[in-house]
Every structure is written in C-alpha cells, then in structure tokens.
Amino acid sequence: MKTEFVIIGGGLSGLYTAYLLEQLGKHYILLEGRARLGGRIYTEDQFDMGPSWFWPDMHPRITTLIDDLHLPVFPQHDKGAFLFDKHENKPPQRYEPGYAGSPQSMRVAGGMQTVVDGIKAKLINERIIRNAKVTHVAHTATEQDSYSIIKAEIDGELQTIQARQVIFAMPLRLLANSITLSPELPTKVQKKFASTATWMAAHAKFFAIYDTPFWRKAGLSGSASSQVGPLAEIHDASTIDWAIDDSSTADSSNVGAGALFGFVGIDARTRQSAGNELIKSLAVKQLVRIYGEQAAQPIDVKLVDWSQETMTATDADKNAPNAHPHYGLRDVQSALAPVYQQGWYFAGTESAEENGGYIEGALEAAEAVIARIPT
C-alpha cells in the first residue's frame, strides 16, 4: 500500500489534518489505533467524558469550525450559588451570587463528538483505517527517492504502508513511548517528547445523571469545589434541553437529562488501586452530602479514567503536572530540522505553541503542519 501522506492518530488534530490535506488535493491514509475516532474527545449519551468547553473569545479556530459544521451551541450553566465543600461532616458553604465564568465557556449540543463526526463526514471513508496500531516508522533515502515505511497491526494483522511523508497526530510522550522510529529522533527531541505531559492524561471524569437538574430549583449553579473529595471540582453537565428551559419545571419526559460532572481529585495510582466502582460509590455519596438526598439515586453514572487509556496515557502521565504545561516545539526547532527534511511532522495539541492542551491547540497544530509541508 502506497500513499503520499500517512497520518497517525484519529483524534481531532489528525482528522482536521486529513480535512486540510483533502482540500489541497493530497492523498493520505489515516491510521487510528482505537475502534472509534476522536481520541480524547469522547462523548457518551451526549456527555463529554473528555473536553467539553470552548471559549469563542479566545479560540477562533474551533469556533469557526463549529459554525462551519452548523452545530448548535449553548453556554455552560453557571447561574445560582456556588458551594464550597470543606468538611466531610458539615454542610458545604454557600456563596451567592455564584462565580460566572469570564469569558463565558460554551458547549456543543450533543457533545464534542458531533465535531468529530462533522469532520469525518467530509472525508473519504476508505482513507480512514481504525484498529490500526502503528509500531514502527522507518525512513529510507536514496539519490532517487525518499520515503517512510510504516508498520501497523491492523485488526491484529501486521501490514506495511509506504508514504512520502508522515504526520504524527498524537501526544508527544505517547509517540516516544509506543512507536519505534528509524532513524531515532535527535536526543534533544527525544528528551523533549518524553518530558511533555499529555494533557488530561492524569485525570478522571465522573458523571451522575438525573431526570432533572434538581439543584437549580434550590438556587444552585451546580458548581462546587471540594477539599474532601473524591470529586475536587463539580459542574452542571445537563444537556442543551435544560439550557432552553432553564426553569427546570418542564415535563422531564420532553427534555434531556440533568447531570453533574466532577473531576476526580484522587491521584491516578490510588484510583487504579481503588477501582472504578468504589470511586463511583464515593462520588455519589459526596454529591448527596453537597446537594441533598435527591442526588442519591442517579439514573446512570459514568467514569472515564484517562490515565488507564493506553492509547492516551503512558505510565509517566500518572503524575499530573502542577500547572498547565508549556507546550509547543519552539525550543527544539533547530534539532527538528533534519526530521522535517525526511518528511516527518508532529501535530496533536501538545505540539501547539499558543493553545497547547486545548481543543484549539489540536487545530492550531494541524494548521502549523500543513503550513510546513512542501506543496
């Protein structure tokens, strides 16, 4: 199998790279290790288990893309009191008015997966191969030709693809940890990739889903901060129907679900030891303590621990960074010069200079690669 470009990774950056290449009339094959597309964008029943917010005032690329795909959006619910959960045996402190986000964070109706699906619909389906785990990439250069051989396990069967150029649309640390490259990357680049924390990889996200957002009737925004956990930060995650009918008095059979989500504050190694079922149980008990007995019987609970997703996180990612990392490749550009010459490029949000870690960064990194490749 031969092609002009191979894109490794079917998250937002890889899909957007494919979309841009298609606009340029380039031939490509996109390889995604999972059975699904989206990477860290993962939506279950309209609930975003990965990133869910974007900020139009700060993120023009994703805002424009969502507009171009004609996807409805709505503001993150933040009306009402904010709760501070400081003591396990005392009611939370209530702060009124609450803390409205500034700038306003926005959500996509149906979840961020609709963005992934919207881009996918614009691509040629036969060029996208799922369940394709890349294991080796080797570059060969002669006086007459320059190309790379990509080895991948596709549905469990080893296959090879020859490509002029390769775009790694994946976390840099995951790349360094999971794909054998020949020639090896320069030492400075290897160290950079290995030390670049994969955004969100250390985190877990919990959802409790209810018939209605009952906390709104009590004048609560759904937002809370906790020092006792297991959820450290909680927000309203109700579907768009409740944004339209903000009174919370509508017949729940005619609208979507109310929901609360929280970031699990327990570290990744302890979570793995405790197990998901225990964390779910403790999280519901915490919601009861904060929001009352109506929180005791969710119609569903969901938990995704990204540190246990082997196609997102490495073992090193179990240690969460203390602050938002400094992303981008500016400090290794000179070392990357020969790598670019052999036709290897790096997308993924951790490669973005200005918006690394955000959805916007995935698009920024894809655009930067397209600007760099020879046309």
Side-chain angles (χ1 to χ4, degrees), residues 100-215:
S102 180
Q104 176 70 60
S105 52
M106 301 294 292
R107 294 169 56 196
V108 181
M112 278 289 174
Q113 189 69 39
T114 61
V115 178
V116 171
D117 294 343
I119 300 174
K120 166 65 169 55
K122 296 180 178 294
L123 304 179
I124 298 172
N125 192 55
E126 291 74 16
R127 294 182 178 179
I128 299 174
I129 304 175
R130 310 182 202 203
N131 296 310
K133 185 178 179 181
V134 175
T135 57
H136 296 77
V137 178
H139 178 256
T140 297
T142 66
E143 291 184 2
Q144 294 78 28
D145 208 354
S146 174
Y147 59 88
S148 291
I149 297 295
I150 298 92
K151 294 183 179 180
E153 294 178 5
I154 301 176
D155 291 323
E157 181 181 341
L158 183 62
Q159 297 190 34
T160 61
I161 302 171
Q162 181 176 315
R164 296 284 182 189
Q165 306 191 66
V166 182
I167 299 171
F168 299 90
M170 58 190 296
L172 299 174
R173 179 179 277 170
L174 184 66
L175 166 59
N177 192 69
S178 62
I179 299 178
T180 300
L181 303 177
S182 178
E184 292 184 342
L185 296 174
T187 301
K188 185 176 181 180
V189 176
Q190 291 185 46
K191 290 180 178 178
K192 169 73 174 181
F193 285 14
S195 64
T196 300
T198 302
W199 184 244
M200 211 173 71
H203 299 294
K205 201 171 181 181
F206 170 85
F207 282 75
I209 300 157
Y210 302 91
D211 287 325
T212 67
F214 59 84
W215 49 92

Side-chain angles (χ1 to χ4, degrees), residues 185-256:
L185 296 174
T187 301
K188 185 176 181 180
V189 176
Q190 291 185 46
K191 290 180 178 178
K192 169 73 174 181
F193 285 14
S195 64
T196 300
T198 302
W199 184 244
M200 211 173 71
H203 299 294
K205 201 171 181 181
F206 170 85
F207 282 75
I209 300 157
Y210 302 91
D211 287 325
T212 67
F214 59 84
W215 49 92
R216 297 187 190 179
K217 291 184 179 180
L220 300 176
S221 65
S223 295
S225 177
S226 176
Q227 291 185 342
V228 292
L231 305 178
E233 180 185 333
I234 303 168
H235 297 279
D236 188 309
S238 305
T239 56
I240 187 174
D241 310 79
W242 290 109
I244 296 170
D245 191 327
D246 204 28
S247 65
S248 300
T249 59
D251 178 358
S252 62
S253 65
N254 295 326
V255 297

